[in-house]
Amino acid sequence: MNNLIKKQYFVKSLVAAGIAIAITPSYSAIAQDEVKDIEIISVTGMRSSIQESTRLKRDASGVVDAISAEDIGKFPDTNLAESLQRITGVSIDRENGEGARVTIRGFGPSFNLVTLNGRSMPTAAGGGSSASSGEGRSFDFGNLASESVKSVEVYKTGKANVSSGGIGGTININTLKPLDHEGTKFSFGAKAVHDTTNRVGDDVTPELSGLFSWTNDESTFGMSLTASHQVRHNGTVGAYVTDWRTSVWDGTVPNTPQSAADGAPIVLNNAPEIGQLHALPSDIRYTISDRERTRDNAQLTLQYSPTDKLVATLDYTYSENEYFEARAEHSIWMDSFKTDFTFDDESTATPVIYNEDRRHQQPRDVANALNEYNYINKNESLGINLSYDLTDEFVVTFDAHNSTAKRTPNASYGNSLTTGINAQVAKTQGAVYNDGLPLIVLGFDDCERTNLNCNGILDETDFGTSMLRRFQETHETEITQFRLDGEYELDEGSINFGIERREMESHEIEKTLLEEMGGWGVANPGELQDDFLEPIDYADLFEDYSTQGSWTQGYTGSASVIGAWAANKYDFGFGNIEDESVNRLITEDVTSLYASLNLSGELNSMPYTIVMGLRYERTDTNSTANIAIPTAVRWDSDNDFTVIPGSDNSKVDFAKGGSYSHLLPSFDFSLNVTDDLITRVSYSKTIARPDYGNLSSAVSINSGPTAPTLVGGLPGEASGGNPELVPYESDNLDLSVEWYFDDTSYASIGYYQKIVSNFIGNEPSLQSQYGLRDPSAGPRALQAISELDALGITVTDTTLFSMMAANQLGVDYFSQTEDEFLQAVDIFATAEDPLMMFETNQPVNNEEAKINGFEIAVQHFFGESGFGIQANLTTVNGDVEYDITLDPSESQFSLTGLSDTANLVLMYEKEDWSARLTYNWRDEFLSDTRGQDPVFTEEYQQIDFSVSYTVNDNLSISFDGLNITGENYRKFARSNVQLWNLEESDARYVLGARYTF
């Protein structure tokens, strides 16, 4: 076993032995009576832990990295994702200032498999303000605390005995086993967390964790229990843009003055060239969020070993993550006469100076939407493992488990609530878009509308309710898995084989509802109670971005309090939503067989190890969607369209199924050129299955058009799945050289290449959906345009709506104001209106890509000085970059997550003191797509530190700091000025103590 168990049966670290058992292919048939007689000498401390991890990396076949519980405890990290980012080739996505999902060698979360004790983990994770969460396969590490885990392994090369699903890699989480420790052990830790971004919650929140392990005197029966409770309150201020309307420039801009009565025509500075891409923003929104998260983890393990040949393990793992966010938005929506634009010089031209003017129209609304988001994520896993030594050479293991992940609302109104609070005071509006925080430009006027107080101040009496939107979603994924493994020891190696059956169900139910309060026209300004709103100035909140020249006055309040009040006033329900809009079930059954041959020997006096394996998998899928067919598109006002969802009575079933099979070979060869120099060559074929959202059998309508069709509105958006998609397939090659020049020191360089086929791309097309018709494009609309032309009135979305409303009411156009028409009329399509077209995106397997790069790492402790260093760099190259110059109507695909990463860790450990200073960097990367526009995440770096002091053999204290320089997160579209989202962040400090006996 290569230094793991020496002749004297000396064990330097039980944790290290546990990891070695998991990742060394030839391990199995160490007799149980020998293991029980081992003298246990537990060596703790950062340096000894790193020494063991280094040795495990050295002795493993293939490319494997591991972190022990000692390492996890020493990192200044909140959860496992933040611990894993220190590993070469691993980077993370952050959410709410905390690590959430893992990228390996440029492959994002959906391309990586996460297992718990070798078992596949389900997910129903979503975060923050995400309205719909359950479409991905990526496990959210934000649900697990570091304290609850013994060790984590990252397999970067494929192995026959590892379940399929990870192209980037497979992450295995190991939990504590009581028979690893004789006698009674107890450890308790407490931390006080101060998040400097907190605004309304508790400035200091608790984190508690405990570990109990017990065995009887004979070490034939044991029990362990770990538990943790963490509370975090934090906040953030930020900004976002809902949509960038990208299209080819034809020299015109919608909603521009067309007649002398409307005033001067639009002024275009540095206009794009004909045929060039340009993008017009939909809005600009400032946001402030206050968040609360409570995370509870527990794991109970029972082990029984009645004989030396049998070990039975029963374990139950539970995690619960409860999340609440209250958010206020201060925004303007672009919908007035365009008066002057100044475009930048980017390949996709953007009006960095954007101005609109209401002119003869009444002021429009400044929105202060109030949002609440909430959910409970629960994960449960119950498993049994039986390991039996049939002979001294032959061991069989049976493992079975059932695991569930469930996401449910944590409020009666649902997961998501938006209560619209608007003030119609914007006579002129615009924005200055830049590579930081865009500025809101507002010409304030509370005099022109007769129902406002004309005091020249934005106050509570200017505001009234508009619309209330609720979203309710429940998503549950269940995995049942059975596995039988065998291992037969040879004189110079071993044979491994096994069979596995995995059954998965992903069930999602969505409900959505839009209720009218004061309506889009804000019929009742001043209606809110005096204590409902609180003034806020965003200029006081942004610390890292200038707000000079921006209108920053807004209001905040409780979306649910006002929503409940409005439900009573306007007579609508505020409890459970009855009608389902989507009820989707996806099942996936996987049957697997595998075998591998592990051999060792010498080649010209140089020791070598060969592992050859083959895995066969057959997958059967079925996708069923029970969809409430939308009944109509309602034109509510100028550019506001609502797709009316159907009721339970209008549901239709859509179902499709499929099957596919794969042979997945793997080969690992390592050669000890010298005692300190190791070379490795690995080849494997791996697969990753499509996200659940891509497998839906029905089309969902996401939004209506951006404006009336006949005045240049862009089509609404719809998305559908494809149950016949097949998995991504990757041929993987790894070459590496590792030099171990001390027990805790090594330098390594590795090259990897992945050739991936069956990439999923989106095929956009204009399609009608469910027979919905367009109320803004039929004979009535054409007649209204003709009448406006005859009156010399420019056709805009507002004037067109008013004329059609006047015709519908049978009154003169000038008999009512725009607001009165908005309040009086909703326009529905008739049979004479044309079908409404939606930009529909559907996934297809249509691409191949090559990814390659280098991993360089060095680790060294400087003699007995106590100082050490760890550094690594991962480069990622590929031919799958997003082409920002491509017309959005054309299909393209790209791989999210590709970015270079680097880590630097400065360490010190001597006597009772231990310290780490860590630096993590990730380059800019494509993190997502929205419709046919990219979402890029800006380059990010973070500095953390951790200091601990051992008071005595039982007590230690620590102090950690995370993101101590207060780095922020920012995402953009085709250029830096096209902001998608930014959030200011700041430092988090943790004071902790742990007592062990």
Side-chain angles (χ1 to χ4, degrees), residues 695-758:
L695 297 174
S696 175
S697 55
V699 173
S700 297
I701 297 179
N702 305 322
S703 66
T706 61
T709 302
L710 296 181
V711 294
L714 296 179
E717 294 184 357
S719 59
N722 181 358
E724 297 178 348
L725 290 173
V726 296
Y728 307 84
E729 297 180 8
S730 179
D731 289 284
N732 316 297
L733 175 66
D734 279 84
L735 307 171
S736 64
V737 178
E738 302 162 3
W739 177 36
Y740 296 88
F741 53 93
D742 202 350
D743 288 342
T744 57
S745 302
Y746 74 89
S748 66
I749 182 170
Y751 171 79
Y752 64 90
Q753 176 181 278
K754 297 176 181 290
I755 300 176
V756 185
S757 58
N758 296 335

Side-chain angles (χ1 to χ4, degrees), residues 322-564:
E322 182 177 344
Y323 179 88
F324 174 80
E325 177 180 347
R327 187 171 74 172
E329 297 181 358
H330 165 59
S331 66
I332 57 172
W333 185 265
M334 307 309 187
D335 177 46
S336 293
F337 285 120
K338 308 326 187 222
T339 57
D340 62 273
F341 290 177
T342 299
F343 286 90
D344 62 14
D345 295 318
E346 298 294 328
S347 58
T348 300
T350 306
V352 292
I353 298 177
Y354 183 113
N355 288 307
E356 296 184 342
D357 193 336
R358 295 296 288 173
R359 300 193 178 180
H360 56 74
Q361 298 172 328
Q362 291 183 312
R364 66 160 299 128
D365 53 306
V366 172
N368 279 247
L370 306 176
N371 312 99
E372 287 186 10
Y373 307 102
N374 68 84
Y375 61 81
I376 297 180
N377 277 353
K378 289 185 179 180
N379 295 267
E380 295 182 85
S381 179
L382 177 65
I384 185 170
N385 183 280
L386 303 173
S387 179
Y388 185 69
D389 295 359
L390 291 174
T391 68
D392 290 344
E393 296 83 18
F394 190 24
V395 178
V396 293
T397 302
F398 173 75
D399 190 273
H401 79 104
N402 178 263
S403 300
T404 60
K406 189 172 184 178
R407 185 175 191 250
T408 57
N410 198 25
S412 60
Y413 58 74
N415 304 73
S416 170
L417 169 66
T418 299
T419 304
I421 307 294
N422 298 352
Q424 294 179 304
V425 296
K427 186 60 177 174
T428 63
Q429 64 180 21
V432 177
Y433 293 95
N434 51 47
D435 59 1
L437 173 71
L439 305 180
I440 296 175
V441 179
L442 182 68
F444 180 84
D445 182 352
D446 65 348
C447 293
E448 186 170 334
R449 290 184 179 267
T450 56
N451 53 2
L452 300 180
N453 59 24
C454 193
N455 64 0
I457 301 172
L458 182 65
D459 55 28
E460 294 95 325
T461 62
D462 293 323
F463 285 93
T465 61
S466 58
M467 308 295 286
L468 183 142
R469 187 183 301 274
R470 294 194 288 145
F471 181 85
Q472 187 173 311
E473 179 241 18
T474 300
H475 180 242
E476 182 171 9
T477 302
E478 181 177 11
I479 292 178
T480 301
Q481 187 174 12
F482 301 92
R483 180 167 176 157
L484 181 65
D485 295 290
E487 182 170 7
Y488 188 81
E489 290 287 335
L490 306 173
D491 291 339
E492 298 294 338
S494 64
I495 297 174
N496 299 73
F497 54 89
I499 185 171
E500 178 184 322
R501 172 73 175 179
R502 184 171 77 243
E503 300 173 354
M504 185 281 299
E505 282 193 359
S506 174
H507 188 202
E508 186 172 17
I509 298 175
E510 294 180 2
K511 304 176 182 181
T512 185
L513 196 62
L514 181 68
E515 301 281 8
E516 184 171 350
M517 299 181 292
W520 294 110
V522 191
N524 303 304
E527 64 181 317
L528 299 173
Q529 294 179 189
D530 292 342
D531 59 346
F532 274 0
L533 297 180
E534 176 186 347
I536 191 169
D537 191 340
Y538 285 85
D540 298 332
L541 303 176
F542 284 106
E543 296 181 354
D544 299 332
Y545 299 95
S546 172
T547 59
Q548 185 175 0
S550 183
W551 182 278
T552 57
Q553 299 172 42
Y555 281 82
T556 184
S558 170
S560 55
V561 169
I562 298 176

Side-chain angles (χ1 to χ4, degrees), residues 78 96 98 142-145 202 205-208 228-234 291-297 318-325 374-379 410:
T78 308
N96 302 331
E98 188 175 316
N143 293 324
L144 283 179
D202 296 329
T205 55
E207 292 189 0
L208 306 174
S228 67
H229 173 74
Q230 298 180 347
V231 178
R232 183 184 171 200
H233 294 169
N234 72 311
R291 299 161 176 161
E292 299 177 6
R293 188 211 64 203
T294 301
R295 181 170 61 200
D296 294 300
N297 287 185
Y318 176 86
S319 73
E320 179 178 297
N321 195 15
E322 182 177 344
Y323 179 88
F324 174 80
E325 177 180 347
N374 68 84
Y375 61 81
I376 297 180
N377 277 353
K378 289 185 179 180
N379 295 267
N410 198 25

Side-chain angles (χ1 to χ4, degrees), residues 221-369:
F221 180 74
M223 178 187 74
S224 66
L225 175 66
T226 64
S228 67
H229 173 74
Q230 298 180 347
V231 178
R232 183 184 171 200
H233 294 169
N234 72 311
T236 186
V237 60
Y240 77 94
V241 173
T242 304
D243 189 22
W244 287 95
R245 299 160 181 172
T246 306
S247 61
V248 175
W249 178 257
D250 63 3
T252 63
V253 177
N255 260 27
T256 57
Q258 301 295 314
S259 68
D262 297 326
I266 186 172
V267 176
L268 298 177
N269 300 307
N270 196 34
E273 295 180 1
I274 299 297
Q276 181 181 352
L277 286 184
H278 78 294
L280 300 183
S282 62
D283 58 353
I284 176 62
R285 301 175 184 238
Y286 291 168
T287 65
I288 181 169
S289 296
D290 298 299
R291 299 161 176 161
E292 299 177 6
R293 188 211 64 203
T294 301
R295 181 170 61 200
D296 294 300
N297 287 185
Q299 213 252 348
L300 174 67
T301 303
L302 304 176
Q303 280 193 299
Y304 181 52
S305 181
T307 72
D308 296 337
K309 296 182 178 296
L310 175 66
V311 177
T313 304
L314 178 70
D315 58 79
Y316 172 73
T317 302
Y318 176 86
S319 73
E320 179 178 297
N321 195 15
E322 182 177 344
Y323 179 88
F324 174 80
E325 177 180 347
R327 187 171 74 172
E329 297 181 358
H330 165 59
S331 66
I332 57 172
W333 185 265
M334 307 309 187
D335 177 46
S336 293
F337 285 120
K338 308 326 187 222
T339 57
D340 62 273
F341 290 177
T342 299
F343 286 90
D344 62 14
D345 295 318
E346 298 294 328
S347 58
T348 300
T350 306
V352 292
I353 298 177
Y354 183 113
N355 288 307
E356 296 184 342
D357 193 336
R358 295 296 288 173
R359 300 193 178 180
H360 56 74
Q361 298 172 328
Q362 291 183 312
R364 66 160 299 128
D365 53 306
V366 172
N368 279 247

Side-chain angles (χ1 to χ4, degrees), residues 152 422 474 484 516 651 842 873 946 955:
V152 183
N422 298 352
T474 300
L484 181 65
E516 184 171 350
K651 284 187 173 181
Q842 291 182 295
L873 170 67
S946 176
L955 178 65

